[in-house]
Amino acid sequence: MGAGRVHRAGRHGLAAEHPRPAAPRRLGLGADGIDTLVGCELEFTLFDADGTMGGPWSAYGLGPVLADAGSGFLRDLATLAETTGLPLDQAHAEYGTRQFEISLGPTDPLTAADNVVLARILIGRAAERHGFRPSFSPLSSTEANAANGAHQHFSFTRDGASLFSGGTGPHGIRPEGGAAIAGLLRRLPEFIGFHAGSLLSGARLLPGHWSGAHACWGLENREAAVRFCAATAGNPHGASVELKVVDASANPYLSIAAMLWAAHEGIRDELALPVEVTGDPAALPAGAAVPLLPNEQSEVLAVLGASTAAVDFAGEDIMTALLAVRGHEVEVYGAASAAALAERFRFTWSM
Ligand code: GLU
Ligand code: MG
């Protein structure tokens, strides 16, 4: 038996040789002296058990949080979070009817992905106690006036100093921080399939929806795929980079890892921070137009399937499986209307 191979009894009792599973791929940021923190946000819509969803709503208001739809549910969610150690930093009423958002505090990347899964379970349990069902779907209903995002924030530090504050670049961004943003943006058109994981993602990833449909970055810019959050009193965890294009139909483990891989690649290649886009990119003159990210699922999969960077990041096995499953979804559901898809997949990402 050669090194790195294991013998197992075959179906007919013969010893078959199988390659030992490859060692887990390391992101390599730590090996390069960079410490990483990741924290995610989750938006969701509460439906009544009978599938309806309505009532008065005040976006970002206190009313929904104190009213029946919110108060008992949010109190139970906070208790469950405390019991399970989920770092629930904030909960608020979003702008869509019956839409809430929670923000999870920063942790190491793997725990951040675990926390997304735990949060979805706890939201499901708390909602159930109050007769609701949460939908995390990018488009929970064509009647709902808002889509659900699952934005991901990350921050990098080297020797305790943030790469995104204290420097001489825009908003204090240091050269390595700028390279990380550049790397993230460079791979975004081909990696969008890792972050926007379903046919419904395209109905969310549209200009004017605060989903970051434009391939650019900007300070607190909700139309930019990469929204920069500077170190201010309003950001108690310090400066972070927010990837807005992510929705809950993505695999959080893959999406977080792809985001960090692309940022790290930008640092390794010493890329320069691209020009910042302030304001709505859709309002820029034609000469300065910012491209939109692919949002049509066949195109998303075509660019992902042609990406050698995706194979370098995820490996052949993951890419083959991912493209097969997602291609099947396009084949089976590709011709369905947005309304039919919203209904069919409303609770697919609920637990
Ligand atoms: N609901 C928006 C989305 O789909 C995000 C709104 C916000 O900026 O928080 O991503
Ligand atoms: Mg939000």
Side-chain angles (χ1 to χ4, degrees):
M1 180 169 71
R5 299 180 83 78
V6 283
H7 279 285
R8 294 212 192 96
R11 242 174 104 211
H12 306 292
L14 297 171
E17 259 204 353
H18 296 286
R20 194 186 291 278
R25 296 168 70 86
R26 298 190 65 85
L27 290 172
L29 281 156
D32 279 356
I34 295 171
D35 293 318
T36 304
L37 287 174
V38 174
C40 300
E41 301 172 4
L42 272 177
E43 293 178 333
F44 54 96
T45 309
L46 284 189
F47 284 78
D48 290 327
D50 65 4
T52 57
M53 176 267 300
W57 196 256
S58 50
Y60 305 113
L62 192 57
V65 176
L66 298 176
D68 281 356
S71 61
F73 157 70
L74 287 175
R75 205 177 315 115
D76 279 357
L77 179 60
T79 306
L80 287 171
E82 208 174 328
T83 313
T84 56
L86 181 76
L88 181 61
D89 261 17
Q90 185 182 313
H92 69 263
E94 254 297 337
Y95 67 84
T97 302
R98 287 279 190 88
Q99 189 187 32
F100 287 97
E101 172 181 327
I102 62 159
S103 309
L104 300 172
T107 63
D108 68 88
L110 183 57
T111 304
D114 287 345
N115 283 341
V116 168
V117 178
L118 177 59
R120 283 199 231 163
I121 294 171
L122 300 187
I123 290 166
R125 295 294 75 75
E128 199 174 29
R129 286 182 197 171
H130 297 274
F132 301 126
R133 278 189 91 183
S135 170
F136 298 91
S137 169
L139 187 73
S140 59
S141 143
T142 43
E143 278 142 48
N145 48 356
N148 290 314
H151 313 166
Q152 295 170 174
H153 292 249
F154 70 91
S155 63
F156 289 154
T157 51
R158 182 183 283 289
D159 300 325
S162 169
L163 301 189
F164 299 114
S165 60
T168 52
H171 318 297
I173 298 173
R174 294 177 197 267
E176 282 191 313
I181 292 172
L184 185 56
L185 282 170
R186 175 173 66 176
R187 293 295 173 209
L188 215 42
E190 58 197 291
F191 278 19
I192 194 71
F194 290 128
H195 306 305
S198 67
L199 280 165
L200 282 163
S201 300
R204 167 181 171 261
L205 205 56
L206 297 168
H209 282 56
W210 291 0
S211 56
H214 296 89
C216 61
W217 78 278
L219 178 71
E220 297 289 354
N221 192 337
R222 287 187 143 78
E223 284 298 317
V226 176
R227 174 178 175 228
F228 185 71
C229 304
T232 61
N235 279 332
H237 296 297
S240 67
V241 172
E242 177 182 7
L243 182 59
K244 278 190 77 79
V245 296
V246 188
D247 70 60
S249 66
N251 175 326
Y253 296 90
L254 208 48
S255 176
I256 289 173
M259 170 179 81
L260 298 177
W261 187 92
H264 185 207
E265 189 195 36
I267 293 176
R268 279 190 273 125
D269 291 349
E270 298 180 11
L271 299 183
L273 177 67
V275 174
E276 178 178 9
V277 173
T278 54
D280 184 356
L284 290 170
V290 174
L292 289 171
L293 289 162
N295 74 341
E296 204 274 310
Q297 202 57 198
S298 317
E299 189 192 347
V300 166
L301 295 182
V303 285
L304 186 62
S307 169
T308 52
V311 177
D312 284 351
F313 153 62
E316 292 279 1
D317 289 353
I318 287 179
M319 289 313 298
T320 304
L322 186 146
L323 293 167
V325 171
R326 301 273 292 280
H328 177 75
E329 283 169 4
V330 173
E331 238 174 80
V332 176
Y333 297 106
S337 68
L341 287 174
E343 195 171 333
R344 166 67 182 77
F345 293 107
R346 182 166 297 147
F347 300 112
T348 297
W349 300 283
S350 308
M351 295 183 192

